[in-house]
C-alpha cells in the first residue's frame, strides 16, 4: 500500500484542512505513514503568516529534495497558504515539487495525486476556488471536532497576508454546518470548534433565511443533542454585535471563552493597521463581554513592532493588556509580508527594539494570566478529559470550559466530563485532582 505523510504548519484552520487532505488521500487508497521517511507521498500544508514558518518549510523541503534524489518515485506536494502566496514562484524555487495547491483547492487534491499520475501537469499550480464543504475527513481527535463555517476574509488589516491567500469571505450554508455538527455528535464528539478567518461576520453574504447571523448559528449548534461544548475562532472585535454576545451568554454549550484579538493598544497604531476599532472601543467591548458572560476568559493576539510604533504606543498596548486581564495571549513580533500594505510602510522597527518590547509584553502577559489562574485555586472546574498529561504520564490532561489546560490526578477516560478541584496554577496551566463522580 502506498503511504502518505502530512506535515502541518499554522493555525487551527490549517490543522483542519490537513484532516481533509488526509481524508482525500485515504479515499484514494493511501494509508498514513507516521514519519516522513516511511511515506511515498509527502504533503506539506504550509502557513505564511510570519517569516518563521517559511524558514521551517525550506528546511523540510531540503530534506525532501535529498530523498527524492534517491527515490524519484517520491511525490512531494506543497499546499496551504505559503503555496498560494508563492504560486508563481514555487516551482522555480523548488523544482522537485510535483504538486502545489492553495487552501481553496483541497477538493481537487485527489484528482491531482491519483495513483502517482498527475492530473495537473507537473509544475503547474492547481487551482480551484470553491467552498470545500463536505469532503472525506480523517479526524485527529475523537471527542473534539472542527467545523468550518466560512472561508476567506474581507478585512484589510495592513499587516496580514491572509486575505490575499484565502480570498474573499464565503459563508457556508447553516443547514450544512448544523448537519456536520449533528454527524459529529452521532460519532461521539462532545466539543466542536467553529472555524473561520472571521467567524462572527459569518452569514452576511448569505441569501435571507432563518439563520444568517453568527449568534443564531451558535443557537442552532447549541440545540444539537450530545454536543456539550461549543467554541469558535477567530472572531473579530469589530463584528461582536449584541446578538452574538447574548447567544454566548445564553447557550449552555457555548463555552465562557472568547478570543478577542487586540493587535495593539494604541489607537494610532490600530488605525495604521486598519483595524477599525480604537483602544476605547476595544476596552468597552471587553467590559461588555465580562458583564454579559460572568466568568468569561478572554484570550488575545498582540503584535509588537508594527511600523511606526513608538515607545508610547507600545506602553498603551501594555496598559490595555494589564487593564483587560487576559487569561491567555499569543504574542507576535511584527513580520513584514511581501504584498501587504504594512511591508511597504516607512519606519520599520529595528529588530532589537522589537525583541526588547516582546520581552516586556510577555512579562506583562504572564503576570496577568498567572494572577488570573491563581485566582482559580480552590474552585472546581468542569474538565473535558483529553488523555495523559504531556509532562507527567501519571497525570491526566484536559481543558476547562474557559480553555485552560489542567493536569490532574484522576482515573477518568478521554472524552469524559469531570469535575476537577484546582490546587495550583502557572501562567498557562492549572493543576488539580478529580472529584470522584463523573458528570457524564
Ligand atoms: N506579523 C506578526 N504577526 C502577525 N499576525 C498576522 N500577521 C502578522 C504579521 N505580519 C498575527 C495577528 C493575528 C495572528 C493570527 O497572527 O496577531 O491575529
Ligand atoms: Fe492559518 Fe494564516 Fe497560517 Fe494560513 S497563513 S495557515 S490562515 S495562520
Amino acid at each position: 500500500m502506498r503511504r502518505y505523510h502530512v506535515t502541518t504548519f499554522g493555525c487551527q484552520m490549517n490543522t483542519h484542512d490537513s484532516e481533509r487532505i488526509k481524508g482525500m488521500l485515504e479515499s484514494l487508497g493511501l494509508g498514513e505513514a507516521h514519519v516522513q521517511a516511511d511515506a511515498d507521498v509527502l504533503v506539506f500544508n504550509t502557513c505564511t503568516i510570519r517569516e518563521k514558518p517559511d524558514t521551517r518549510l525550506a528546511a523540510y523541503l531540503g530534506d525532501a529534495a535529498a530523498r527524492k534524489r534517491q527515490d524519484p518515485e517520491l511525490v512531494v506536494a506543497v499546499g496551504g497558504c505559503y503555496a498560494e502566496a508563492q504560486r508563481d514562484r514555487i516551482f522555480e524555487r523548488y523544482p522537485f515539487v510535483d504538486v502545489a495547491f492553495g487552501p481553496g483547492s483541497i477538493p481537487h487534491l485527489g484528482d491531482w495525486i491519483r495513483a502517482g499520475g498527475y492530473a495537473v501537469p507537473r509544475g503547474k499550480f492547481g487551482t480551484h476556488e470553491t467552498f470545500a464543504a463536505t469532503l472525506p475527513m480523517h479526524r485527529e481527535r475523537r471527542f473534539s471536532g472542527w467545523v468550518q463555517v466560512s472561508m476567506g476574509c474581507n478585512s484589510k488589516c495592513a499587516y496580514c497576508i491572509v486575505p490575499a491567500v484565502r480570498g474573499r469571505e464565503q459563508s457556508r450554508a447553516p443547514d450544512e454546518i448544523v448537519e456536520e455538527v449533528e454527524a459529529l455528535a452521532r460519532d461521539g464528539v462532545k466539543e466542536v470548534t467553529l472555524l473561520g478567518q472571521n467567524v462572527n461576520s459569518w452569514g452576511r453574504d448569505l441569501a435571507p433565511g432563518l439563520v444568517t447571523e453568527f449568534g443564531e448559528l451558535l443557537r442552532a449548534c447549541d440545540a444539537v443533542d450530545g454536543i456539550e461544548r461549543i467554541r469558535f475562532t477567530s472572531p473579530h472585535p469589530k463584528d461582536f454585535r449584541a446578538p452574538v454576545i447574548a447567544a454566548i451568554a445564553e447557550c449552555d454549550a457555548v463555552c465562557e471563552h472568547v478570543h478577542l484579538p487586540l493587535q495593539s493598544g494604541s489607537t494610532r497604531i490600530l488605525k495604521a493597521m486598519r483595524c477599525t476599532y480604537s483602544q476605547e472601543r476595544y476596552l468597552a467591548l471587553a467590559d461588555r463581554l465580562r458583564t454579559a458572560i460572568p466568568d468569561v476568559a478572554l484570550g488575545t493576539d498582540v503584535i509588537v513592532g508594527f511600523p511606526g510604533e513608538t515607545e508610547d504606543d507600545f506602553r498603551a498596548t501594555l496598559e490595555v493588556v494589564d487593564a483587560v486581564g487576559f487569561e491567555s495571549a499569543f504574542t507576535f513580533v511584527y513580520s513584514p509580508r511581501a504584498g501587504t500594505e504594512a511591508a511597504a510602510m516607512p519606519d520599520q522597527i529595528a529588530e532589537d527594539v522589537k525583541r526588547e518590547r516582546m520581552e516586556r509584553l510577555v512579562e506583562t502577559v504572564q503576570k496577568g494570566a498567572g494572577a488570573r489562574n491563581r485566582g482559580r485555586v480552590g474552585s472546581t472546574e468542569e474538565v473535558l478529559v483529553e488523555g495523559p498529561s504531556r509532562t507527567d504520564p501519571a497525570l491526566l490532561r484536559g481543558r476547562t470550559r474557559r480553555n485552560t489546560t489542567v493536569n490532574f490526578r484522576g482515573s477518568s477516560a478521554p472524552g469524559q466530563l469531570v469535575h476537577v478541584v484546582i490546587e495550583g496554577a502557572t501562567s498557562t496551566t492549572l493543576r488539580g485532582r478529580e472529584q470522584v463522580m463523573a458528570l457524564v
Side-chain angles (χ1 to χ4, degrees), residues 49-50 159-160 263 301 303 332-335 337:
I49 192 111
R50 288 170 291 275
Y159 50 82
C160 191
Q263 314 304 2
D301 293 342
I303 298 176
F332 305 108
V333 168
Y334 168 71
S335 172
R337 306 278 67 203

Side-chain angles (χ1 to χ4, degrees), residues 90-112:
I90 192 142
F91 294 106
E92 262 167 56
R93 205 145 167 188
Y94 302 110
F96 55 88
V97 167
D98 298 298
V99 178
F101 59 100
S105 320
I106 295 171
H108 282 243
L109 184 62
D111 301 338
W112 298 333

Side-chain angles (χ1 to χ4, degrees), residues 11 48-51 157-162 234 259 261-263 300-304 306 330-337 340 342:
C11 62
T48 193
I49 192 111
R50 288 170 291 275
E51 201 179 339
C157 306
Y159 50 82
C160 191
I161 191 75
V162 173
S234 285
H259 188 74
L262 167 67
Q263 314 304 2
T300 199
D301 293 342
V302 184
I303 298 176
V304 299
F306 186 81
F330 296 113
T331 51
F332 305 108
V333 168
Y334 168 71
S335 172
R337 306 278 67 203
T340 60

